[in-house]
Amino acid sequence: MRGGGVRQDTGRVASSEPKVSAGWPHFLVRAALEDRWWPGDVLRPLRHALVNDVFSYSTGDTEYEIESVPMGNHAAFTRGDHRVYFLLDTGEVRCVDDGDLGASLEELGCPSDAVFSGPRPRGPSAVFASSEGTVFVSTPHGTTFRTAGSGRPWEASLRCAVWRMTEDDRGGLYAGNYDDGADGGATLYRSDDQGRSWTVSFRESRCRHIHTVRWDPIEGRLYCSFGDHRWLRGEACSGDYGRSWEVLRRGPAHGHTDVAFTSRYVLWASDDNSGRIYRVPRGKHRGCAITGHRQNIWFVVARGRQVFAGSWTDRGAAALLASHDEGDHWQKIMEFPVPEGRGGGFCNDSRNLSAGGWLYVSFSGNRRSYRVRRASPSAP
């Protein structure tokens, strides 16, 4: 570890393959690991025996570099190039160079509602930059702002808080509400004019909000997840740029906070305190759990075969996990204790890996930010 200020013990890489599948009927193993819900979750003991718990992973960073980010921030974003955007504790937005965090590329000022002083309202803080250079900031106060660049004024773009945004290969932007759903439930909006106006792309009026939305550049599809209704929450996809949607799955086993894509899989992260990441082979509709139980997986970010996942926990500690082989094996590269009860974890991520392979994350418990990447020469 370099510069992180966090003690790490060298540990082994833990496998996410079933641990004791020998002797169990194949159909029972598959049923326990598939993304389906059983009455009373009767297969939970078998699932716990088959899949590693997050807490069972040893903590080690021998394959990864970890650095502290020298600025307090509430959100970060990179499109995958050298530009990294931070929503600072002061409410200001700054763009820096991935190769030199001290080199400011743009000072974008402060949206009027984004000053983080005193008690913070519940809700997300997010920053996003489009391919045309329009920058968006969402605050817990319930407004999403936009600006066309440094020296340009900030203006209200959406009258709701947003957790995640994405852009398709035609420049269409998508943003999902993250509030109580009072204005129509879980709603995903689309903009074709850089956020000057929005139309409804997807809506589930019986749920509250949109947890995530991502464009899959490999298959040219949009994916989103919505919650929090126990029986109606789920995930959906669109193959026509958000004009129509197919709901893939619903129900208790589908409390997904995020989605990411590797070369061969679609990965869904779950926040229902099961600690699961489901891995769905491309072209299939059903996947299997590849991580364990007892935590909320708050985000998952992937590129090529590299995957990172961060947790927000109700118990003991929160962890940042990494896999260099699409989830076949996992390593816990950072772990922080948190107070008992809900309230600590890796609360935001940069949504993509930067040009240098860095993932930017923040931990809510110590209000510090970090960046991490695989140190191997084969890292993306």
Side-chain angles (χ1 to χ4, degrees):
M1 184 184 69
R2 296 171 173 84
V6 181
R7 182 180 183 274
Q8 305 283 4
D9 296 319
T10 302
R12 66 184 183 280
V13 176
S15 174
S16 61
E17 294 298 313
K19 296 184 293 185
V20 292
S21 58
W24 293 96
H26 177 73
F27 77 91
L28 193 58
V29 171
R30 186 168 184 82
L33 298 182
E34 279 186 342
D35 54 345
R36 68 172 71 201
W37 179 82
W38 296 88
D41 206 4
V42 294
L43 296 180
R44 177 181 292 183
L46 177 56
R47 185 184 306 117
H48 285 194
L50 291 171
V51 184
N52 283 290
D53 189 336
V54 169
F55 290 119
S56 71
Y57 297 154
S58 296
T59 303
D61 63 348
T62 55
E63 297 181 17
Y64 292 88
E65 298 176 64
I66 303 171
E67 296 182 356
S68 290
V69 173
M71 62 192 78
N73 68 83
H74 283 260
F77 178 78
T78 178
R79 296 189 55 83
D81 55 16
H82 70 287
R83 300 172 71 87
V84 184
Y85 295 83
F86 292 113
L87 174 58
L88 304 180
D89 290 343
T90 60
E92 296 174 297
V93 180
R94 179 179 298 168
C95 178
V96 302
D97 190 319
D98 184 50
D100 181 4
L101 296 184
S104 178
L105 300 179
E106 280 188 286
E107 299 286 344
L108 295 166
C110 175
S112 59
D113 281 358
V115 179
F116 299 108
S117 58
R120 294 184 59 208
R122 291 179 61 84
S125 300
V127 61
F128 176 85
S130 74
S131 59
E132 293 189 17
T134 304
V135 179
F136 296 82
V137 165
S138 181
T139 76
H141 301 265
T143 304
T144 299
F145 299 90
R146 67 177 293 274
T147 181
S150 58
R152 305 288 184 88
W154 288 92
E155 60 185 22
S157 179
L158 264 175
R159 296 295 182 181
C160 66
V162 168
W163 191 4
R164 269 85 183 245
M165 293 182 64
T166 197
E167 180 175 0
D168 65 33
D169 61 355
R170 297 179 179 177
L173 305 179
Y174 304 84
N177 74 309
Y178 196 78
D179 50 29
D180 60 8
D183 292 332
T187 306
L188 181 67
Y189 299 95
R190 173 191 168 97
S191 176
D192 293 311
D193 57 8
Q194 295 297 296
R196 297 180 183 88
S197 63
W198 298 85
T199 58
V200 174
S201 175
F202 171 86
R203 172 168 282 159
E204 172 47 85
S205 60
R206 298 167 295 179
C207 290
R208 295 174 59 196
H209 45 231
I210 300 294
H211 284 155
T212 193
V213 57
R214 274 198 200 266
W215 170 257
D216 178 6
I218 296 177
E219 294 188 341
R221 295 164 66 88
L222 277 167
Y223 289 82
C224 76
S225 68
F226 49 93
D228 287 320
H229 193 291
R230 177 173 173 79
W231 298 102
L232 298 175
R233 66 190 183 186
E235 64 264 19
C237 70
S238 172
D240 58 5
Y241 296 89
R243 296 181 183 87
S244 62
W245 289 83
E246 175 188 2
V247 175
L248 301 174
R249 312 287 295 173
R250 290 183 187 267
H254 300 275
H256 300 320
T257 49
D258 208 1
V259 63
F261 315 105
T262 67
S263 302
R264 296 181 296 162
Y265 299 103
V266 176
L267 304 176
W268 293 99
S270 174
D271 77 339
D272 56 6
N273 212 28
S274 68
R276 299 176 212 163
I277 297 174
Y278 291 107
R279 188 171 65 178
V280 184
R282 291 187 176 277
K284 305 292 183 181
H285 289 285
R286 190 178 294 280
C288 289
I290 57 172
T291 60
H293 27 88
R294 295 197 293 174
Q295 290 204 353
N296 301 305
I297 304 298
W298 213 236
F299 67 80
V300 59
V301 174
R303 187 171 75 189
R305 293 174 57 82
Q306 180 66 50
V307 184
F308 292 97
S311 72
W312 178 285
T313 184
D314 291 344
R315 307 165 184 264
L320 180 65
L321 306 177
S323 171
H324 65 271
D325 54 11
E326 301 182 274
D328 285 341
H329 302 85
W330 292 92
Q331 185 171 350
K332 185 165 59 178
I333 56 177
M334 297 179 76
E335 183 177 33
F336 291 103
V338 297
E340 287 297 326
R342 191 176 183 87
F346 289 91
C347 55
N348 74 70
D349 61 282
S350 56
R351 308 306 297 144
N352 300 290
L353 303 187
S354 68
W358 294 103
L359 172 73
Y360 291 79
V361 298
S362 292
F363 180 72
S364 64
N366 60 12
R367 300 182 63 83
R368 295 183 65 183
S369 300
Y370 306 87
R371 64 178 188 173
V372 56
R373 68 179 175 183
R374 192 167 183 231
S376 167
S378 63

